């Protein structure tokens, strides 16, 4: 059936691990994901360092990508969805975020709001264009 989620956190002081920032890795991850699977990548540091990676993910995942800034530091989180016509149900996401906040005490509704805003503002698209 495939893998539901691939999490990648491969930044260090030198940048992103080359073995995980190439088209072959991204295509393999895409192929291994289930139909509704998702790739999540932590992007650290200067945005110029990973603009090419964002562009490559956008290409491999048919632009089904959201990039969101992490407020506490310079990191960004990239979410890439295998489902070709992925469109989040933002009402459902917000409702689930409220449930998670009550269970865990973390501000999931704010995170969901940031995700929606990032998608509507086209942050991933701008990062991909920066490299062209």
């Amino acid at each position: 059936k495939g893998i539901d989620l691939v999490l990648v956190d491969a930044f260090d002081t030198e940048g992103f691990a080359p073995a995980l920032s190439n088209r072959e890795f991204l295509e393999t991850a895409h192929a291994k994901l289930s139909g509704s699977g998702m790739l999540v990548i932590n992007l650290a540091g200067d945005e110029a360092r990973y603009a090419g990676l964002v562009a490559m993910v956008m290409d491999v995942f048919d632009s089904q990508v959201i990039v969101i800034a992490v407020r506490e530091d310079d990191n960004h989180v990239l979410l890439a969805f295998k489902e070709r016509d992925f469109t989040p149900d933002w009402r459902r996401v917000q409702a689930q975020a409220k449930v998670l906040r009550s269970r865990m005490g973390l501000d999931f509704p704010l995170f969901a709001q940031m995700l929606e805003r990032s998608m509507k503002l086209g942050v991933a698209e701008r990062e991909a264009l920066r490299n062209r």
Side-chain angles (χ1 to χ4, degrees):
K1 291 184 178 181
I3 298 168
D4 292 325
L5 181 66
V6 174
L7 298 171
V8 179
D9 186 6
F11 266 98
D12 64 15
T13 56
E14 302 299 316
F16 202 76
L20 302 175
S21 61
N22 61 65
R23 188 170 190 88
E24 181 181 0
F25 170 77
L26 295 171
E27 288 174 346
T28 300
H30 185 270
K32 298 283 184 181
L33 286 170
S34 68
S36 60
M38 179 172 57
L39 171 69
V40 179
I41 301 176
N42 178 48
L43 303 169
D46 180 18
E47 295 171 15
R49 290 169 62 189
Y50 54 76
L53 176 60
V54 173
M56 208 178 330
V57 175
M58 293 281 292
D59 187 45
V60 171
F61 282 81
D62 295 319
S63 297
Q64 299 302 307
V65 177
I66 299 173
V67 175
I68 183 170
V70 178
R71 292 172 21 159
E72 292 77 21
D73 55 30
D74 291 334
N75 289 3
H76 285 75
V77 175
L78 179 146
L79 308 169
F81 304 90
K82 184 167 183 177
E83 188 176 330
R84 173 166 257 150
D85 297 317
F86 173 74
T87 305
D89 178 347
W90 293 113
R91 285 186 192 177
R92 184 171 177 223
V93 169
Q94 277 294 337
Q96 189 63 33
K98 289 175 184 174
V99 170
L100 289 170
R101 177 179 57 195
S102 68
R103 285 186 194 161
M104 300 179 181
L106 299 172
D107 198 355
F108 284 101
L110 176 62
F111 182 69
Q113 195 174 40
M114 290 170 58
L115 277 172
E116 182 177 8
R117 185 169 186 265
S118 177
M119 186 173 187
K120 287 180 179 177
L121 292 175
V123 174
E125 291 82 356
R126 282 198 316 272
E127 288 301 316
L129 288 173
R130 181 188 307 250
N131 191 51
R132 290 185 181 156

